[in-house]
Amino acid sequence: MASKVLQKANSFYDQYFRNPSADKKMPHYCPGCGHGNVHKFIAEALDDFEVADKTIFISPVGCSVFAYYYFDTGNIQAAHGRAPAVATGIKRAHPHSIVISYQGDGDLAAIGTAEILHAANRGENITVFFINNAIYGMTGGQMAPTTLIEQRTTTSPRGRNPHNEGYPVKVAELISQLQAPVYVERVALFDNKQRAKARIAVRKAIKNQVENLGFSLVEILSPCPSGWKMDPVDSMKWIRDVMLPQFPLGVYKDLTKEVKPYEVPEFAPSAKEIKELIDIVPDSNKKFKKSKVIEKYINPEIKVAGFGGQGVLLLGAALAQAGMLEDYHVSWLPSYGPEMRGGTANCHVNVRNIPVGSPVVSNPTVLIALNRPSLEKFEQDVEKDGLIIFDSSLIDLDVKRKDVEALPLPATQLADKLGNTRTANMITLAAYAAYTGLFSKETLYETLKTAIKRRVLIDINKKAIDVGYEFGLTHRKN
Amino acid sequence: MAKILMKGNDAVIRGAVLSGCRMYFGYPITPASEIAEAAANYIPKVGGTFLQAESEVAAINMVYGAASGGMRVMTASSSPGISLKQEGVSYAAGAELPCVIVDIMRGGPGLGNIAPEQGDYNQIVKGGGHGNYKCPVLAPNSGQEMCDLTRMAFDIAEKYRTPVYVLADGYTGQMMEPVEFGEPLTKFPRQDWAVYGDAVSKHNLISSIYLDPEELEEHNLKLQKKYQEIEKNELRYEEFMLDDTDYVVMGFGIVSRILKTVVEKLREDGMKIGLLRPITLFPFPKGKIADLSERVKKFLVVEMNNGQMVDDVRLAVMGKCPVEFYGRMGGVVPSMTELYEKAKQLADSTN
Ligand SMILES: Cc1ncc(C[n+]2csc(CCOP(=O)(O)OP(=O)(O)O)c2C)c(N)n1
Ligand code: SF4
């Protein structure tokens, strides 16, 4: 019977050429199986709305894994339970298409619970058909999440026991609780009247998508004579007498009259637009001549450390930015994650004449310490003859080592005098640049364009650079 | 075009957009979240789709769906998330779907930590999921390569119809370096195998099922042939001071950067030492290693893991010379001095 039924709709292939069996007209389902009925309703609806050409059918894992034998549409076969995620991907790729996600109860209500819940919750503009046959058909009659209490299956041989396996999952009820879905109905296939209702529900669920209304799900109580070890006639009775009381039929949700259709605007920017949109057009194309660096400060390997809020990472990034503007090879590497949670932060910066090998600075030639713990922690790591610059207004401590050079800099005090404590980092940057001759003032000004995102703060930071630069120049020893 | 100072993770998304990627599906995880954040910011701006999925499993299956539609699509994650994606990657490999997966590795096993490790080498390079597949693996070690190799990953993926990995570590993702960008791709040719939701493409089927063992074997043979083609055409590595060398150090990603400095320093000391850095981990520079093993005294392989790539080096060396391994785990990045000492010892123990 099923084969005759399947041939009717145009949206089915005439011959099931993908089916390896010799008979290319026979479907692979068992006699009396509900899958064939639902396939037929779907194909007829696709015919009616003339959308077969733009339909993409997602076959699940389960007995309907080979649904693509039948539907003369685009076809994708998905992993077990993942059809709604795959449907999401293809629908987002081609919003004009009609995407059908077809799933069994193991597929949808066990392994794929997260995927269906979230596809529904996002209101994906797709149509889901959910075949509830209270059993795993394909794998030979094991318990499904929808298996009824006391129902015997090969993995609930003494009957489903709620204390061990819990209760049947009620999908239509669950999904209808979410805000986004526009249409959720449960139907059954046990007699002609119910099948007619099922056909209407299937049609409506597809129509909703044709009209871009949003997420629709139809749960179909469907016979599995093989899994239930019953003949087709008894199977129908079992749906009516045993399943129905547990899975009440009806429309659980219908917002189709209320919602506005989805619109997906198209936008294909030009090459020039793309570059601007993704921020890869540099703030400045200016090139800056390398400054005259005092010999011993060439190729610095810098560590900047301090409290999280002191702008430590920004100071480091500004160093790297300035280096890049002067055509050095640079790298900047932050401490990240939990390291930062204690409130301290540090970063490693290289400014080199030749390509940077390791970006990791374990033994800095320059340590910039903005708070006491940083000085205490990193002083011992500094290379012999290295330079330590520290904020002497916050650190009441001297550099202990005698084999390094120390430059105490009252950065916070100077910043306060300027009227903005937060400029201490830029004062430090400028003092270091001037003291070593690493960067010119012009380069530092230009660096601010990238380093300081809030335009109103540029002026004060420029002043900070003046102050710091002045300090660095006047304290030069070489 | 002038360069821009940028984090590796941010450069990944720029490379992706330039290569025509307009779809991103992902789930947050440190230290890869910045890729998702950059994608969320930029991909919708250029008319694409960014979606935060409910899990890495969902994300890779959304990628599977979008790739079925012939789109350039990607996801990114870090080690635990990549473990979750493996089922989907196996399906994509089986169904021959092009897509790009970025793994910013962190410390493991289990929840481990978020520090930069390289413990995913085996997982990524040897397949990772079930079945007889491999994915091309590109291992950037700089901000520029985070951009360029991501871009290249899309081309390789499409050319061979395969998932491609970009395998990096937390440091390469977090590091900022100057990056130069090329011109964006704006025309996307139709893929004749893909499903577009139209009459022309409706006879296409995306699937990894081959019920008949002989058919599945045939499909597998086809995949193996594809991998051979990839080995032939897509091998990339960097050589540094190898011409006259007695000793070869090897490492990928951030390790290779440290090793380069080590080689520079040891050369200053007069040691004949050089660096071989695989840029592609599959294909692996087997031939180059075999050639070197004929004339050098020793290899030292350094990894931030328990010794994974070293197995492949040993296979290529075939016992022709000693291969030593030095590894740090748990997210400990070996210091320059540490590796300098290690590499220096190579000479002590040979003759
Ligand atoms: C990851 C994974 N786990 C398990 C399976 C085995 N499997 C195949 S179908 C199936 C259950 C199918 O049952 P259902 O979704 O109810 O569909 P039906 O066969 O009843 O139509 C299972 C467990 C699989 N293919 N993949
Ligand atoms: S096992 Fe059940 S669900 Fe599967 S084809 Fe047979 S009757 Fe249908």
Side-chain angles (χ1 to χ4, degrees):
Chain A
M1 176 193 110
S3 71
K4 227 163 81 194
V5 167
L6 282 180
Q7 280 171 40
K8 278 187 186 153
N10 277 328
S11 298
F12 283 132
Y13 291 119
D14 290 340
Q15 300 250 346
Y16 309 140
F17 64 95
R18 288 194 177 112
N19 189 341
S21 92
D23 186 344
K24 301 290 182 209
K25 296 251 176 205
M26 274 294 282
H28 74 286
Y29 296 110
C30 309
C33 172
H35 279 301
N37 274 301
V38 182
H39 285 17
K40 173 176 169 260
F41 300 154
I42 294 171
E44 287 172 354
L46 297 181
D47 282 2
D48 287 355
F49 299 118
E50 297 180 353
V51 291
D53 280 355
K54 59 174 181 172
T55 294
I56 299 170
F57 192 100
I58 321 284
S59 304
V61 174
C63 282
S64 46
V65 63
F66 299 120
Y68 62 78
Y69 287 172
Y70 312 113
F71 289 95
D72 190 359
T73 60
N75 279 290
I76 301 175
Q77 201 290 315
H80 196 21
R82 317 298 175 215
V86 172
T88 298
I90 189 75
K91 182 74 185 188
R92 300 290 184 117
H94 301 305
H96 74 278
S97 63
I98 301 295
V99 175
I100 294 175
S101 179
Y102 186 103
Q103 300 184 263
D105 42 41
D107 199 79
L108 182 143
I111 195 167
T113 345
E115 284 78 6
I116 188 62
L117 191 87
H118 287 276
N121 194 52
R122 287 188 303 267
E124 292 297 335
N125 189 17
I126 61 173
T127 306
V128 177
F129 295 114
F130 169 46
I131 309 300
N132 177 355
N133 58 15
I135 202 143
Y136 283 13
M138 186 186 212
T139 39
Q142 295 84 6
M143 190 191 74
T146 47
T147 290
L148 301 176
I149 298 304
E150 294 188 351
Q151 182 184 341
R152 286 166 194 254
T153 70
T154 59
T155 50
S156 58
R158 287 165 292 280
R160 181 175 189 159
N161 170 1
H163 299 298
N164 199 45
E165 289 101 13
Y167 293 87
V169 174
K170 302 190 173 176
V171 170
E173 285 86 336
L174 271 175
I175 298 297
S176 62
Q177 290 307 306
L178 300 170
Q179 199 168 335
V182 294
Y183 172 58
V184 181
E185 181 167 358
R186 183 184 285 126
V187 296
L189 296 177
F190 60 84
D191 64 19
N192 280 338
K193 188 173 147 217
Q194 295 305 327
R195 275 191 289 271
K197 277 194 169 169
R199 161 186 278 137
I200 292 166
V202 166
R203 226 182 110 87
K204 180 172 165 107
I206 289 173
K207 182 159 174 268
N208 291 344
Q209 192 180 167
V210 173
E211 292 173 355
N212 284 320
L213 296 184
F215 183 91
S216 302
L217 179 143
V218 180
E219 174 173 346
I220 300 135
L221 305 184
S222 173
C224 172
S226 305
W228 298 348
K229 303 190 171 51
M230 287 178 204
D231 65 34
V233 178
D234 287 344
S235 297
M236 297 299 175
K237 281 198 199 121
W238 196 79
I239 296 180
R240 187 190 61 207
D241 299 339
V242 183
M243 280 187 91
L244 219 55
Q246 290 299 317
F247 294 109
L249 304 185
V251 176
Y252 281 80
K253 186 168 191 193
D254 188 353
L255 303 180
T256 52
K257 296 243 158 35
E258 297 154 41
V259 293
K260 279 214 194 79
Y262 272 69
E263 270 175 57
V264 184
E266 270 196 39
F267 175 50
S270 69
K272 184 165 171 289
E273 285 170 323
I274 290 172
K275 286 192 278 190
E276 278 161 10
L277 288 165
I278 64 172
D279 294 336
I280 58 169
V281 184
D283 294 322
S284 95
N285 277 315
K286 275 195 227 158
K287 280 275 168 224
F288 292 81
K289 272 225 312 280
K290 284 194 172 69
S291 324
K292 186 145 176 37
V293 194
I294 296 169
E295 182 72 22
K296 65 183 280 206
Y297 303 122
I298 290 177
N299 290 338
E301 297 172 25
I302 310 163
K303 183 168 253 170
V304 190
F307 289 127
Q310 287 182 300
V312 170
L313 299 185
L314 188 66
L315 201 175
L319 280 167
Q321 178 75 22
M324 187 180 74
L325 291 174
E326 291 196 7
D327 224 12
Y328 284 104
H329 296 273
V330 300
S331 70
W332 171 94
L333 181 71
S335 55
Y336 67 91
E339 264 191 276
M340 288 165 68
R341 243 161 247 157
T344 62
N346 71 73
C347 61
H348 313 208
V349 180
N350 282 282
V351 181
R352 308 224 319 176
N353 283 314
I354 52 169
V356 181
S358 171
V360 184
V361 178
S362 322
N363 299 105
T365 60
V366 178
L367 171 65
I368 299 178
L370 300 189
N371 68 356
R372 186 178 164 145
S374 302
L375 181 61
E376 287 172 331
K377 189 170 169 197
F378 296 119
E379 180 178 337
Q380 78 231 24
D381 297 340
V382 177
E383 284 278 347
K384 187 172 164 300
D385 299 326
L387 170 65
I388 299 180
I389 301 182
F390 64 100
D391 189 338
S392 56
S393 34
L394 297 181
I395 306 174
D396 53 353
L397 198 73
D398 254 334
V399 171
K400 286 191 211 75
R401 281 175 57 181
K402 296 288 167 256
D403 61 346
V404 297
E405 182 187 350
L407 176 65
L409 160 69
T412 302
Q413 214 180 317
L414 293 171
D416 283 341
K417 238 198 302 193
L418 265 182
N420 189 335
T421 311
R422 302 186 65 116
T423 60
N425 60 349
M426 290 300 136
I427 291 177
T428 311
L429 166 75
Y432 165 60
Y435 186 78
T436 58
L438 188 59
F439 303 124
S440 72
K441 218 193 228 186
E442 286 62 44
T443 306
L444 297 183
Y445 285 161
E446 189 72 13
T447 302
L448 290 179
K449 286 192 189 162
T450 315
I452 308 295
K453 292 279 169 258
R454 288 180 56 199
R455 294 279 164 242
V456 289
L457 292 177
I458 295 237
D459 274 348
I460 182 91
N461 278 287
K462 257 190 171 159
K463 285 195 191 120
I465 284 178
D466 293 340
V467 170
Y469 217 87
E470 178 66 29
F471 183 95
L473 284 179
T474 50
H475 287 78
R476 265 192 184 197
K477 293 197 189 88
N478 314 73
Chain B
M1 199 148 104
K3 293 179 176 179
I4 293 183
L5 197 62
M6 191 177 282
K7 273 194 181 186
N9 281 342
D10 290 327
V12 162
I13 287 303
R14 304 317 206 287
V17 170
L18 292 176
S19 82
C21 172
R22 293 291 179 273
M23 304 196 85
Y24 182 105
F25 302 96
Y27 188 84
I29 181 168
T30 312
S33 294
E34 280 147 351
I35 300 183
E37 286 161 7
N41 183 7
Y42 292 115
I43 292 192
K45 278 190 185 159
V46 293
T49 299
F50 167 85
L51 192 57
Q52 180 169 324
E54 58 271 26
S55 69
E56 288 84 353
V57 175
I60 191 68
N61 281 283
M62 290 171 185
V63 167
Y64 181 99
S68 301
M71 300 293 286
R72 289 195 161 197
V73 55
M74 74 174 291
T75 184
S77 189
S78 179
S79 311
I82 295 290
S83 300
L84 267 180
K85 286 184 198 292
Q86 294 296 2
E87 179 203 42
V89 180
S90 168
Y91 273 71
E96 298 189 86
L97 290 177
C99 58
V100 172
I101 306 141
V102 180
D103 179 7
I104 309 292
M105 289 180 280
R106 58 185 247 180
L111 201 48
N113 64 24
I114 61 167
E117 227 197 37
Q118 297 183 321
D120 291 2
Y121 180 93
N122 280 342
Q123 179 186 198
I124 301 303
V125 176
K126 307 292 174 176
H130 58 288
N132 312 303
Y133 77 94
K134 287 180 175 189
C135 301
V137 183
L138 309 176
N141 78 349
S142 66
Q144 187 67 55
E145 282 192 356
M146 288 292 264
C147 174
D148 294 350
L149 295 187
T150 302
R151 192 166 179 168
M152 184 187 292
F154 281 96
D155 295 334
I156 295 176
E158 204 165 277
K159 180 167 169 199
Y160 299 96
R161 289 186 59 186
T162 175
V164 176
Y165 279 104
V166 175
L167 185 65
D169 50 75
Y171 269 12
T172 317
Q174 293 294 326
M175 185 167 59
M176 263 206 299
E177 289 186 307
V179 183
E180 207 172 344
F181 300 93
E183 282 300 302
L185 210 68
T186 48
K187 291 212 169 58
F188 312 111
R190 247 179 103 98
Q191 307 298 320
D192 57 12
W193 49 266
V195 175
Y196 288 89
D198 59 21
V200 180
S201 67
K202 82 167 178 172
H203 299 292
N204 289 336
L205 165 68
I206 306 296
S207 161
S208 58
I209 308 179
Y210 296 83
L211 269 195
D212 176 51
E214 249 123 62
E215 257 183 63
L216 182 55
E217 184 175 52
E218 201 177 296
H219 176 60
N220 268 295
L221 286 170
K222 180 179 158 205
L223 293 182
Q224 303 315 308
K225 223 169 136 191
K226 166 155 87 183
Y227 303 142
Q228 281 161 17
E229 275 298 297
I230 292 170
E231 287 205 77
K232 220 165 63 200
N233 304 333
E234 305 301 337
L235 176 65
R236 284 170 181 87
Y237 53 83
E238 178 190 347
E239 295 177 61
F240 182 63
M241 308 242 169
L242 286 178
D243 286 349
D244 63 341
T245 203
D246 287 336
Y247 304 99
V248 181
V249 290
M250 284 188 70
F252 67 96
I254 196 70
V255 171
S256 67
R257 295 282 295 258
I258 306 170
L259 285 175
K260 198 165 189 175
T261 306
V262 167
V263 167
E264 280 172 9
K265 299 230 170 185
L266 285 169
R267 281 274 168 179
E268 280 169 24
D269 300 351
M271 186 174 176
K272 283 192 174 173
I273 187 164
L275 167 73
L276 175 61
R277 166 174 80 105
I279 297 173
T280 52
L281 298 174
F282 174 73
F284 194 66
K286 299 188 272 198
K288 182 73 201 173
I289 294 170
D291 288 351
L292 285 169
S293 70
E294 302 277 356
R295 62 176 169 92
V296 304
K297 292 188 178 139
K298 215 183 241 182
F299 279 76
L300 169 65
V301 178
V302 181
E303 298 175 71
M304 293 189 325
N305 60 31
N306 60 342
Q308 301 188 14
M309 181 175 81
V310 67
D311 287 348
D312 288 330
V313 177
R314 290 198 170 113
L315 272 177
V317 167
M318 297 268 275
K320 296 248 171 62
C321 69
V323 177
E324 286 187 11
F325 171 70
Y326 184 72
R328 297 298 304 260
M329 291 176 278
V332 180
V333 182
S335 73
M336 211 283 295
T337 341
E338 189 179 352
L339 296 186
Y340 172 87
E341 290 305 327
K342 263 282 141 202
K344 203 171 147 179
Q345 282 164 20
L346 287 173
D348 300 347
S349 45
T350 8
N351 314 321

